[in-house]
Amino acid sequence: MPSITDNPTAPAADDRLLRFLLEHAGVRGVHVSLTDTWAQIRSRDHYPLAVAELLGEAAAAAALFTGHAKVDGRLSVQLRGDGPLRTLFAECTAAGTLRGIAQLAEGDSRPVSRDLRTFGPEAVLAITIENHGAAGRDPMRYQGIVALSSDALSGAFEQYFVQSEQLPTRLLLAADPEPRHPRGEIRAAGLMLQKLPGDAGDDDGWTRVGALFDTLGPNELLSVPAETLLRRLFHEETPALLGAKPLRFACSCSRERVASMLQSLGAEEARAAVIDGSATVRCEFCGQTYLFAPADIDALFTSREHPMEAPERLQ
């Protein structure tokens, strides 16, 4: 396995996942950096700054968790509450594509706090893995849910792994809600450490690495390239790289899928959706908006030789 110290001048790479191992300490880790991917997700809606920051952290977390989980389909993280922010959703696929969205309560003028304890007593955090079924079978779905008792997403996810996976875990998540770097980009990032199962590593490896982890702050996580960051934090542990994967924004919605959904409504209802000169359909996941003029709606219901199969929902 290559060591980070073998190439101290490794260039920074945006939008990727990097797996590493601290073998002597018995700790594995994942680092995620998002630049263009986060900018694409962020641009889909005009979120309040606190909401945008939470969404960026959730996107980084969804990517982090694919680093060690067995995912051949998709992994999503979702926070649900009864406060002004009702839903926070982010998803990463095995191919490294990400999407995410936040949903606010209609008519609720209360400001959104980053403190998760304000999300209400019924707020929950869920991590869902959906893998492809074998031989044409339905997808296999696993979901773990925990109540929220931490004030931050990092702490909530740490609790999840301890309660649901029995894996000691440390997490730091950070996201820019608006541009603040010299090139004007926004960034989201995450670093996760997990103790290897069993008795791997020396006796105080987890404690020692945790103390080093505690010296890292959000600003450094966002601004320092992965290899440099790991070398600074864990140089005495001789971190070894286990592989990297590029990440990018993508959503499965399309104009064709929206057109098929409108067809499924029937001509009368689809035409009734035209308001102020167009029917407007917004993807609930990525925020992309599709506009259909009356002529576009009429064209959907002209006879075609091979009609499109309508999806059950826009996704």
Side-chain angles (χ1 to χ4, degrees), residues 164-245:
S164 299
E165 308 293 337
Q166 288 77 54
L167 279 176
T169 301
R170 296 300 308 276
L171 268 145
L172 182 63
L173 301 168
D176 294 322
E178 56 186 358
R180 68 178 185 88
H181 298 282
R183 292 182 296 175
E185 76 267 21
I186 59 173
R187 300 173 185 169
L191 179 65
M192 178 174 71
L193 302 178
Q194 285 186 329
K195 192 177 187 310
L196 288 170
D199 297 324
D202 53 46
D203 292 340
D204 67 341
W206 180 248
T207 301
R208 185 174 66 249
V209 168
L212 296 171
F213 181 88
D214 286 336
T215 67
L216 178 64
N219 289 336
E220 188 178 9
L221 177 63
L222 287 171
S223 60
V224 179
E227 286 87 351
T228 303
L229 184 70
L230 297 180
R231 191 167 62 249
R232 285 183 187 177
L233 285 174
F234 307 121
H235 63 278
E236 294 184 357
E237 303 294 336
T238 316
L241 303 183
L242 300 180
K245 180 172 70 174

Side-chain angles (χ1 to χ4, degrees), residues 89-306:
F89 175 91
E91 176 189 88
C92 184
T93 69
T97 63
L98 285 103
R99 62 181 182 174
I101 191 171
Q103 295 180 332
L104 300 170
E106 293 186 11
D108 194 328
S109 60
R110 291 176 295 170
V112 179
S113 170
R114 279 189 40 80
D115 189 335
L116 302 188
R117 292 170 298 187
T118 66
F119 279 44
E122 303 301 319
V124 295
L125 180 70
I127 297 180
T128 305
I129 297 176
E130 186 177 290
N131 288 329
H132 302 301
R137 296 180 180 177
D138 292 337
M140 299 180 62
R141 192 168 183 267
Y142 165 80
Q143 184 177 71
I145 299 176
V146 294
L148 289 182
S149 57
S150 174
D151 63 341
L153 275 179
S154 295
F157 286 125
E158 288 180 355
Q159 292 172 354
Y160 169 87
F161 281 104
V162 170
Q163 296 177 27
S164 299
E165 308 293 337
Q166 288 77 54
L167 279 176
T169 301
R170 296 300 308 276
L171 268 145
L172 182 63
L173 301 168
D176 294 322
E178 56 186 358
R180 68 178 185 88
H181 298 282
R183 292 182 296 175
E185 76 267 21
I186 59 173
R187 300 173 185 169
L191 179 65
M192 178 174 71
L193 302 178
Q194 285 186 329
K195 192 177 187 310
L196 288 170
D199 297 324
D202 53 46
D203 292 340
D204 67 341
W206 180 248
T207 301
R208 185 174 66 249
V209 168
L212 296 171
F213 181 88
D214 286 336
T215 67
L216 178 64
N219 289 336
E220 188 178 9
L221 177 63
L222 287 171
S223 60
V224 179
E227 286 87 351
T228 303
L229 184 70
L230 297 180
R231 191 167 62 249
R232 285 183 187 177
L233 285 174
F234 307 121
H235 63 278
E236 294 184 357
E237 303 294 336
T238 316
L241 303 183
L242 300 180
K245 180 172 70 174
L247 302 170
R248 62 185 177 87
F249 171 82
C251 186
S252 59
C253 72
S254 67
R255 187 173 179 82
E256 290 73 22
R257 293 182 69 121
V258 176
S260 183
M261 185 192 69
L262 288 171
Q263 280 187 309
S264 71
L265 298 177
E268 183 178 351
E269 188 171 348
R271 291 188 176 102
V274 175
I275 300 174
D276 294 332
S278 66
T280 303
V281 181
R282 181 176 181 274
C283 175
E284 65 182 39
F285 290 109
C286 70
Q288 180 67 46
T289 298
Y290 299 90
L291 301 178
F292 288 77
D296 299 325
I297 300 292
D298 292 339
L300 296 178
F301 296 96
T302 58
S303 58
R304 296 184 303 169
E305 185 177 354
H306 299 290

